[in-house]
Amino acid sequence: MALQLGDIAPNFTAETTEGTVDFYEYLGDGWGVLFSHPKDFTPVCTTELGEVARLKGEFDKRNTKVLGLSVDPVSSHEGWSQDITDATGQKLNFPLIGDPDRKVSDLYGMIHPNANDTLTVRSVFVIGPDKKVKLTITYPASTGRNFAEILRVIDSLQLTSKYSVSTPVNWTDGEDVIIAPAISDDDAKERFPKGFTTVKPYLRYTPQPNR
Ligand code: BEZ
């Protein structure tokens, strides 16, 4: 059964471009993003890894560790990482798992036999400090991911884990948020001193509380 939201993200140890990694130790008590690639020396994956390297500072700001995976061995990743630098100008600055025996890929359900029975699809798992799965997204091999969207979701997850709010369509950090319908108007006045706007009794906007 595929991992679902709220499931515990299973721990593992794996060989990576930065040595042996114990997943839980690597995450510490922060957030994590585990994402898979179909294969080394492929064009879309090359652009994605360069982009994650470029955004590493943004993940750091969010106390979020990134960990990539491709089913090829680490020895292959080492050759590929030079190509990634040549092609994107970005040096790999986070570990990339080599998973030739598919231990981690199988554990996380990253192989989808109806898409391809040997290659991993483009899976993304966001994991919270409680080691629970907070987001899963699966893309086909032919579509590169939008890592700005992953950052946007992490912003929402981190905010909504602290306040009784949710974030509306296309929300980005700093924009108004929605007060949880379970909060009464009286309670909302206390919890959200910047005030709120009622569009419908169940749709009340308030400025982002931590700004
Ligand atoms: C790519 O990264 O470009 C790719 C990998 C596997 C299948 C198709 C595309």
Side-chain angles (χ1 to χ4, degrees):
M1 170 98 162
L3 280 175
Q4 297 190 325
L5 301 189
D7 288 350
I8 293 289
N11 195 24
F12 57 82
T13 54
E15 296 311 310
T16 80
T17 47
E18 297 187 8
T20 307
V21 164
D22 175 288
F23 189 43
Y24 280 12
E25 266 179 32
Y26 178 67
L27 295 179
D29 54 11
W31 292 70
V33 178
L34 174 66
F35 59 103
S36 59
H37 295 276
K39 200 169 167 41
D40 290 9
F41 298 101
T42 49
V44 176
C45 300
T46 300
T47 63
E48 287 187 321
L49 286 167
E51 178 63 359
V52 176
R54 191 183 71 78
L55 291 172
K56 172 77 168 21
E58 293 298 318
F59 287 102
D60 289 345
K61 273 189 220 162
R62 292 161 175 82
N63 191 24
T64 301
K65 296 272 179 60
V66 288
L67 182 57
L69 175 150
S70 173
V71 285
D72 292 311
V74 168
S75 55
S76 164
H77 297 350
E78 279 158 3
W80 185 27
S81 63
Q82 184 57 52
D83 281 10
I84 293 165
T85 306
D86 294 345
T88 69
Q90 300 294 329
K91 197 166 164 13
L92 214 56
N93 51 10
F94 56 89
L96 184 59
I97 297 170
D99 196 33
D101 59 3
R102 303 193 212 164
K103 189 179 85 175
V104 180
S105 311
D106 285 340
L107 190 62
Y108 275 77
M110 292 165 164
I111 302 223
H112 293 204
N114 289 338
N116 186 308
D117 58 9
T118 53
L119 305 182
T120 41
V121 289
R122 295 185 199 284
S123 301
V124 182
F125 297 89
V126 174
I127 292 144
D130 56 4
K131 306 291 181 290
K132 287 188 178 166
V133 175
K134 305 295 181 187
L135 172 79
T136 64
I137 321 183
T138 306
Y139 295 71
S142 52
T143 304
R145 284 160 282 203
N146 181 339
F147 284 91
E149 168 63 1
I150 310 298
L151 287 167
R152 189 190 76 87
V153 178
I154 292 170
D155 285 339
S156 172
L157 286 166
Q158 293 185 342
L159 179 73
T160 59
S161 69
K162 292 203 182 95
Y163 299 91
S164 296
V165 297
S166 46
T167 57
V169 60
N170 296 340
W171 173 88
T172 56
D173 190 39
E175 293 179 354
D176 288 356
V177 299
I178 293 171
I179 298 172
I183 307 289
S184 69
D185 279 355
D186 284 345
D187 198 4
K189 279 177 201 151
E190 281 188 23
R191 288 184 193 227
F192 303 104
K194 292 175 194 158
F196 59 88
T197 307
T198 303
V199 178
K200 294 282 176 190
Y202 55 83
L203 176 56
R204 294 164 298 172
Y205 287 100
T206 189
Q208 186 170 322
N210 61 349
R211 281 302 181 94

